[in-house]
Amino acid sequence: MVKTSQLGGIVLDFQVLKTEKSCAARLGQLTTSHGVFDTPIFMPVGTQATVKTLTPEDLYAAGADIILSNTYHLHLRPGEDLIDQAGGLHSFMNWKRGLLTDSGGFQVFSLKGLRKIDDNGVHFSSHIDGSRHYLTPEIVVAIQQKLGADIAMCFDECTPYPCSYEEAERAVQRTSLWAAKCKDSHNKVDQALFGIIQGNVFGDLRERSAREITALDFPGYAVGGLSVGEPKPQMYAMLDSVDSWLPHDKPRYLMGVGAPEDLLEAVKRGIDMFDCVLPTRLARHGTALTSGGKLVIRNANYAYDFTPLDPVCDCNVCQNYSRAYIRHLIKAEEMLAHRLLSFHNVYFLLKLMRDIRNAISNDEFNNFYNKFFDNYRF
RNA sequence: GGAGGGAUACCCAAGAGGCUAAAGGGGGCAGACUGUAAAUCUGUUAGCGACGCUUUCGAAGGUUCGAAUCCUUCUCCCUCCA
């Protein structure tokens, strides 16, 4: 459970409480000035200072301890100065628990057509109004310090898939260069700055990136540049060595991953933290995550299905609303459909993480893993 | 009673002799979605024994090598005038 008081001023503390014997899965505890969180943990994504359709109260009810927001998007709108004047991002959006801001490194990937990279930084043409913006590691750190999240991320270059070796290598070099600059310019004592490993799907580049980034000594390490379109086995292969390359006493964060099966696979390989837009995006597109697999609730065969989204789910939505009703709301384009599905999907992943933690705690992660895949249909 | 206008696929709606099984929308059905340019995007939507065949543009007949498109009659709808 989260404690939100009497923690002001804490930088970041991470303790590994237990590690599985048969795999790299581990149970940990992350302490920030906005709470103590058990890991492995999932962080819902609230890019524009909101997890789409959900209030902070909804998120507390769903069991969220820490959420993610975005430097690039908040810099463009409303701007970090406004948020600073509001008393920081926590205060601005009325979020009282943990907060992590992504650096904009993902936008280097996702806004490919609107940016130009050089060794000093990235020129963006705003996707909103076309205005020109230049982000450097120093600027990105300054923005994140004003936003004031508990965890800030280094500015990195996230490469696409497929990607040439040369391109991936250049990104690794830049990401290391920028990580050093980020570290040098970061001086906010109650904010932790995490380093990011790149290397696309090339094992030797991943290893090199891990070596260079860990040499800079960050309080936590993220694995970036995965789940960008590569086949799952390749993503898992890149995670296989995480446990040996990244220090055991620091949190490891796999960026952008959140498909239920991927969470299991990554925890097994020693990952402690995750974030993903998948639960909220799938929700808005009419799909529910369930213990039996993805349920495309907008499909016709649920029109007369008066059972809950997931019969074994104890969330508020599953206790009170039927598949048929939610399908109707989707077909009628009612906003409540997005809210109900978002809440359920976020709850589902957070519950999955709770179950994973319990399993590790009880030395039965492998059983849990096997049982999960027995039930989950792709 | 008189004068015009119109009937196209589930719906709206283009098309005015061959390149039309028929544009566009909508709706339906399905797929995709992983550090959110995403309440988005993509495919499909006459029927089949399906790289071919069969039946479609209010109905019936006709002209033509060829008709949703031209002609005749009929049915129904709308507008205006009495």
Side-chain angles (χ1 to χ4, degrees):
Chain A
M1 210 52 229
V2 178
K3 289 168 275 181
T4 53
S5 57
Q6 303 145 350
L7 293 165
I10 288 177
V11 182
L12 188 91
D13 181 60
F14 181 70
Q15 301 291 328
V16 175
L17 304 178
K18 182 171 191 175
T19 303
E20 277 279 322
K21 290 170 193 71
S22 56
C23 66
R26 62 223 205 121
L27 194 66
Q29 203 165 61
L30 191 67
T31 303
T32 73
S33 50
H34 288 87
V36 180
F37 318 127
D38 298 325
T39 65
I41 195 167
F42 178 77
M43 306 181 280
V45 178
T47 302
Q48 307 205 72
T50 169
V51 176
K52 294 185 193 300
T53 78
L54 300 178
T55 63
E57 291 72 27
D58 293 331
L59 291 165
Y60 301 147
D65 285 335
I66 172 168
I67 63 174
L68 186 137
S69 198
N70 184 278
T71 300
Y72 170 85
H73 288 278
L74 295 180
H75 171 63
L76 291 191
R77 183 174 55 192
E80 61 276 12
D81 289 332
L82 185 152
I83 290 173
D84 190 24
Q85 276 185 50
L89 191 50
H90 277 97
S91 166
F92 183 52
M93 66 182 290
N94 190 35
W95 175 251
K96 298 185 167 39
R97 299 188 184 172
L99 198 47
L100 180 152
T101 45
D102 184 28
S103 60
F106 185 72
Q107 279 63 45
V108 173
F109 156 78
S110 67
L111 302 180
K112 205 164 184 226
L114 296 172
R115 56 84 176 136
K116 197 162 264 169
I117 316 176
D118 59 50
D119 281 342
N120 295 318
V122 183
H123 290 275
F124 286 97
S125 296
S126 161
H127 66 283
I128 301 165
D129 62 6
S131 56
R132 305 274 298 163
H133 299 265
Y134 188 48
L135 292 185
T136 63
E138 294 84 356
I139 292 169
V140 161
V141 165
I143 296 170
Q144 291 189 90
Q145 294 194 145
K146 279 190 176 165
L147 296 176
D150 302 291
I151 300 173
M153 301 303 299
C154 283
F155 196 37
D156 65 325
E157 182 184 342
C158 178
T159 50
Y161 179 90
C163 175
S164 71
Y165 186 89
E166 291 69 29
E167 202 185 337
E169 184 173 35
R170 206 157 43 239
V172 165
Q173 282 166 5
R174 259 198 294 251
T175 297
S176 292
L177 181 71
W178 293 357
K181 290 181 172 182
C182 284
K183 192 176 170 171
D184 284 347
S185 60
H186 186 263
N187 56 16
K188 188 170 164 57
V189 293
D190 59 346
Q191 180 179 69
L193 178 70
F194 279 21
I196 305 178
I197 312 301
Q198 287 292 337
N200 207 270
V201 293
F202 305 101
D204 61 319
L205 292 181
R206 286 274 165 197
E207 182 171 13
R208 172 178 155 193
S209 184
R211 200 170 53 241
E212 292 176 3
I213 298 296
T214 53
L216 294 169
D217 190 27
F218 288 101
Y221 297 98
V223 178
L226 289 177
S227 63
V228 291
E230 78 283 2
K232 282 177 189 287
Q234 267 189 295
M235 172 166 89
Y236 301 152
M238 291 302 109
L239 296 176
D240 280 338
S241 307
V242 161
D243 191 55
S244 58
W245 294 339
L246 297 183
H248 284 216
D249 60 345
K250 299 284 171 63
R252 299 135 168 196
Y253 162 29
L254 177 55
M255 307 186 80
V257 167
E261 65 275 20
D262 296 340
L263 297 177
L264 268 288
E265 297 293 355
V267 165
K268 187 180 178 183
R269 291 164 172 81
I271 299 291
D272 307 300
M273 302 168 65
F274 301 90
D275 79 278
C276 196
V277 306
L278 201 61
T280 46
R281 181 178 292 169
L282 284 181
R284 278 175 278 117
H285 297 172
T287 297
L289 296 168
T290 79
S291 52
K294 277 194 272 189
L295 204 69
V296 184
I297 205 68
R298 95 181 111 76
N299 284 179
N301 49 328
Y302 304 114
Y304 289 85
D305 188 339
F306 302 108
T307 64
L309 293 174
D310 187 345
V312 303
C313 178
D314 62 349
C315 85
N316 181 258
V317 175
C318 288
Q319 297 311 301
N320 294 292
Y321 304 96
S322 68
R323 293 173 175 184
Y325 177 62
I326 293 169
R327 177 182 132 91
H328 157 69
L329 293 178
I330 293 164
K331 302 306 282 184
E333 295 182 61
E334 283 293 341
M335 294 181 284
L336 184 58
H338 300 153
R339 251 179 80 67
L340 294 179
L341 279 168
S342 293
F343 183 88
H344 166 81
N345 283 352
V346 166
Y347 183 98
F348 177 84
L349 289 188
L350 293 170
K351 172 75 160 38
L352 177 64
M353 299 313 287
R354 275 203 301 282
D355 292 344
I356 287 173
R357 292 193 298 264
N358 285 335
I360 299 171
S361 173
N362 298 329
D363 289 313
E364 49 195 26
F365 177 78
N366 282 328
N367 281 344
F368 182 83
Y369 175 100
N370 290 331
K371 229 168 80 184
F372 173 87
F373 284 103
D374 282 347
N375 291 330
Y376 204 81
R377 294 286 157 263
F378 292 92

